[in-house]
Amino acid sequence: QGNMAFAGKYEFEGDENYDDFVNKIGLPSDKIEMGRNCKIVTEVVQNGNDFTWTQHFPGGRTTTNTFTIGKEADMETMGGKKFKATVKMEDGKIIADFPNYHHTAEICGGKLVEVSSQISRLVYKGKRKKPN
């Protein structure tokens, strides 16, 4: 726990099971289209167990969640819904329960792999961006 493995910027590379997942969680159709093959850049700032997790969407929209491992935090879903969650770290994975899905994030082979599951699974993979 507390290592700097997550810090960095990650560029969207691909997803699996997108349509099935967003339909199951009830994302509105305009948000579904906006998110399809969306070239999201995820930026993670980590200071020990304190995280700032920002997703930059094309067109300038961003979603930022700031949290500390093991403490309840105010969070926001990709659809803009606000909720409270306690983010955990287990076996090198960051784990959060969103209102209607379970989300994990880990670094695998230098890539940020985020998995949201709710009967079906959505897998986002992002390769590390080169610093400018």
Side-chain angles (χ1 to χ4, degrees), residues 67-101:
F67 57 90
T68 299
I69 298 296
K71 295 187 179 168
E72 187 176 73
D74 292 312
M75 306 279 276
E76 186 178 342
T77 67
M78 61 183 169
K81 191 181 292 182
K82 308 262 190 221
F83 68 102
K84 289 187 181 299
T86 300
V87 181
K88 298 177 283 217
M89 178 141 349
E90 293 174 11
D91 300 324
K93 289 184 184 183
I94 291 175
I95 300 168
D97 285 311
F98 281 67
N100 48 2
Y101 59 95

Side-chain angles (χ1 to χ4, degrees), residues 4-113:
M4 296 302 285
F6 285 90
K9 270 190 177 181
Y10 303 89
E11 199 171 9
F12 173 82
E13 216 176 50
D15 59 37
E16 299 167 13
N17 301 322
Y18 177 79
D19 287 291
D20 191 35
F21 177 78
V22 294
N23 284 314
K24 279 194 170 84
I25 65 167
L27 208 60
S29 58
D30 62 324
K31 299 257 192 236
I32 289 173
E33 283 310 312
M34 198 168 71
R36 187 183 314 286
N37 293 313
C38 190
K39 301 296 182 206
I40 299 168
V41 174
T42 300
E43 186 172 2
V44 181
V45 177
Q46 180 182 0
N47 182 4
N49 284 331
D50 299 327
F51 287 81
T52 301
W53 201 282
T54 304
Q55 290 183 304
H56 302 275
F57 297 88
R61 189 175 77 79
T62 63
T63 299
T64 299
N65 284 311
T66 302
F67 57 90
T68 299
I69 298 296
K71 295 187 179 168
E72 187 176 73
D74 292 312
M75 306 279 276
E76 186 178 342
T77 67
M78 61 183 169
K81 191 181 292 182
K82 308 262 190 221
F83 68 102
K84 289 187 181 299
T86 300
V87 181
K88 298 177 283 217
M89 178 141 349
E90 293 174 11
D91 300 324
K93 289 184 184 183
I94 291 175
I95 300 168
D97 285 311
F98 281 67
N100 48 2
Y101 59 95
H102 181 75
H103 189 81
T104 65
E106 66 181 315
I107 303 297
C108 289
K111 295 177 189 241
L112 174 65
V113 178

